[in-house]
Amino acid sequence: MTSKNNVPTAEGRRGDSARRRQRVEKAISAAVKEGGDITASSIARAAGVDRSFLYRHRDLLQLIHTAATAPSSSEGPAQVSRASLQADLANALDRNARLTARVRQLENRLSQQLGEQAWRDSGLGAPSDIDNLQRQITTLEQRVVELQGQLEDRAEELQAARAANRELTRTLNQTHR
């Protein structure tokens, strides 16, 4: 099977490849029957071949992927495929992330509620009818502005009346002299 220079002949390589192929196919069949883990690494290990052999023979690699994702045909209890377990895990992780976010949101709301309640109970917080008080303040401020305007008007009238009174008094004083 080897040439003069100890180099394997093409026929010898084909035979070796065919034997490895058979071992890989048997390993796939055995893994499917046993319901074990079906990956390129586990099949290569069981068949006694290198993983690169599987990657060089795409049809064998496709057989492995098909066997890994195919549902079990055994009559016994339902077999769980790796893909379904991975899908279940991904769904569980997503649900966990959603629940964690929801818990964080609820904790924040609870903390805020408790903080506001403690603030009100301490007497340091704003009264609960703060809107009414704000409206009263606004109304009173407007009233102050109106009264200041009236006061200024009356102050001007008073000055005018005093000025007129002074003028009359001066006129009276000049006529009586």
Side-chain angles (χ1 to χ4, degrees):
M1 292 215 186
T2 60
S3 65
K4 296 178 186 179
N5 298 347
N6 278 341
V7 177
T9 63
E11 188 178 311
R13 283 193 302 265
R14 276 192 294 273
D16 184 47
S17 182
R19 286 188 296 278
R20 283 197 234 170
R21 228 177 212 305
Q22 288 174 348
R23 290 196 316 252
V24 169
E25 289 170 354
K26 284 180 186 176
I28 293 171
S29 295
V32 168
K33 285 179 188 173
E34 294 172 7
D37 194 24
I38 302 175
T39 63
S41 296
S42 66
I43 297 299
R45 200 174 316 113
V49 298
D50 193 59
R51 277 191 324 217
S52 62
F53 177 79
L54 297 175
Y55 289 105
R56 282 193 310 268
H57 297 86
R58 293 300 220 176
D59 59 323
L60 292 175
L61 194 57
Q62 185 60 40
L63 280 174
I64 293 170
H65 291 304
T66 302
T69 58
S72 176
S73 61
S74 64
E75 297 283 328
Q79 295 292 321
V80 178
S81 71
R82 179 183 180 98
S84 69
L85 288 175
Q86 287 175 334
D88 288 347
L89 177 61
N91 288 335
L93 290 173
D94 286 344
R95 184 170 190 267
N96 188 21
R98 285 192 311 272
L99 289 174
T100 300
R102 180 69 175 148
V103 165
R104 192 172 301 118
Q105 178 189 26
L106 291 173
E107 285 175 344
N108 287 339
R109 282 181 54 197
L110 178 61
S111 175
Q112 197 172 37
Q113 293 280 333
L114 290 174
E116 289 173 7
Q117 182 64 40
W119 183 252
R120 280 191 301 272
D121 291 348
S122 70
L124 298 173
S128 58
D129 59 345
I130 196 161
D131 289 335
N132 291 334
L133 292 174
Q134 289 290 355
R135 277 188 240 122
Q136 282 181 335
I137 288 172
T138 304
T139 303
L140 291 174
E141 286 174 343
Q142 290 173 350
R143 181 75 178 135
V144 165
V145 169
E146 290 172 7
L147 290 174
Q148 283 176 337
Q150 290 175 2
L151 181 62
E152 288 173 4
D153 289 345
R154 290 199 177 139
E156 288 175 10
E157 289 175 8
L158 181 61
Q159 282 180 344
R162 282 181 181 163
N165 192 18
R166 277 192 301 267
E167 187 64 34
L168 286 173
T169 305
R170 205 174 325 161
T171 306
L172 277 174
N173 285 337
Q174 286 178 358
T175 55
H176 284 313
R177 286 190 190 173

